[in-house]
Amino acid sequence: MSAIRKSVRTGFFGRAFAVLGAANAVSAAVEAGRRPQARDLKELGIDPTSFGQVSR
């Protein structure tokens, strides 16, 4: 893997794409009435165990 590709993946842009992807996945799950994956919630800084206690 080239140094540039690795720096993009682990750097700012990689992190930004990961957060946007997680936000999209959580949004779609909530909109469909499903529980989001713990991995996506953790990526957004949300505790997966307390997510179910949030009321609408």
Side-chain angles (χ1 to χ4, degrees), residues 15-29:
R15 177 83 173 128
F17 284 124
V19 169
L20 288 174
N24 189 29
V26 170
S27 172

Side-chain angles (χ1 to χ4, degrees), residues 25-42 46-54 56:
V26 170
S27 172
V30 170
E31 194 169 298
R34 294 181 282 112
R35 182 173 174 83
Q37 292 186 358
R39 171 181 42 103
D40 293 327
L41 292 171
K42 287 179 186 176
I46 300 170
D47 182 26
T49 57
S50 65
F51 182 79
Q53 299 171 356
V54 176
R56 295 181 188 178

